[in-house]
Amino acid sequence: MRFVGGIFAVACLLTCVTACSGGSTTAAPATTSAPPSSTSVSKPTPTPTTPKFAAVVSPEKVTAACPFLGGSEVRELTGRPGEKGEGTEGKSEDVNPGTAYHCGYGLNGELVVVALPGAQSPSATIGRLNKECKEPAKPIPGAGEYASHCKFPDGEEMVAIGKRGHGQSRFAQFYTPTNREDVYVSVAKLLGDRL
């Protein structure tokens, strides 16, 4: 349709130019050229785009772990290539009285998100988790209501964040190979904002 309109505009322009130049007022009939006989028209191929991770932010109901932290974020924060994609949601499990959701990031770690009904104290709950640590846990201020990180006996680091909201106590634990202190702080702040 756009091609036909272009020819019509050129024909009108030629008629006007001829009439204004004092020449004949009759315009020569517009000629159209036939389209090429080739049936293969080269169209630009769209470049595939990878959808960007869009994190959930304090959803009304927790139904999975992967929406809280994307694999692309984990790779960027840890500086390790790791598994492609945004994480693999594992099987959820009942933890009386709530549910624990798991998201795996290959060699970069695993995220566990737990939503418990009621208003349990984040510092007390994470304090119980910290008893499993090989060394004393280090608090991370400014992430959720309470956050800390520590080294586990198996050598992995655990970043734990707790926050109350939507009538629940929500906890996130990110287990990852040893990395820099700023990585633990960044992960804790992201998860603290999103729980």
Side-chain angles (χ1 to χ4, degrees), residues 56-67:
V56 298
V57 178
S58 193
E60 193 70 33
K61 185 173 178 171
V62 176
T63 59
C66 288

Side-chain angles (χ1 to χ4, degrees), residues 15-163:
T15 303
C16 291
V17 169
T18 306
C20 291
S21 65
S24 167
T25 57
T26 311
T31 58
T32 59
S33 60
S37 62
S38 170
T39 56
S40 66
V41 177
S42 123
K43 293 181 182 178
T45 54
T47 55
T49 57
T50 304
K52 295 234 182 229
F53 172 74
V56 298
V57 178
S58 193
E60 193 70 33
K61 185 173 178 171
V62 176
T63 59
C66 288
F68 287 95
L69 187 64
S72 53
E73 292 177 307
V74 172
R75 289 187 297 274
E76 184 178 322
L77 289 168
T78 63
R80 296 186 187 112
E83 182 178 298
K84 294 193 184 312
E86 294 302 335
T88 304
E89 192 70 33
K91 189 173 180 155
S92 65
E93 60 183 308
D94 291 331
V95 288
N96 194 13
T99 305
Y101 300 94
H102 299 265
C103 185
Y105 303 99
L107 296 176
N108 280 330
E110 179 184 12
L111 174 65
V112 179
V113 176
V114 180
L116 303 171
Q120 295 186 31
S121 165
S123 61
T125 304
I126 292 174
R128 287 192 296 275
L129 283 171
N130 287 343
K131 289 180 182 175
E132 308 268 335
C133 297
K134 182 178 177 180
E135 301 164 356
K138 297 178 185 175
I140 301 174
E145 285 181 53
Y146 185 79
S148 67
H149 79 88
C150 68
K151 187 175 285 298
F152 258 41
D154 66 2
E156 279 193 318
E157 292 280 339
M158 175 190 70
V159 180
I161 306 94
K163 182 178 180 179

Side-chain angles (χ1 to χ4, degrees), residues 53 55-57 68-70 73-74 77 142-144 161 163 183-195:
F53 172 74
V56 298
V57 178
F68 287 95
L69 187 64
E73 292 177 307
V74 172
L77 289 168
I161 306 94
K163 182 178 180 179
V183 171
Y184 311 135
V185 171
S186 295
V187 168
K189 287 186 177 181
L190 277 177
L191 291 169
D193 288 344
R194 295 172 182 176
L195 282 175

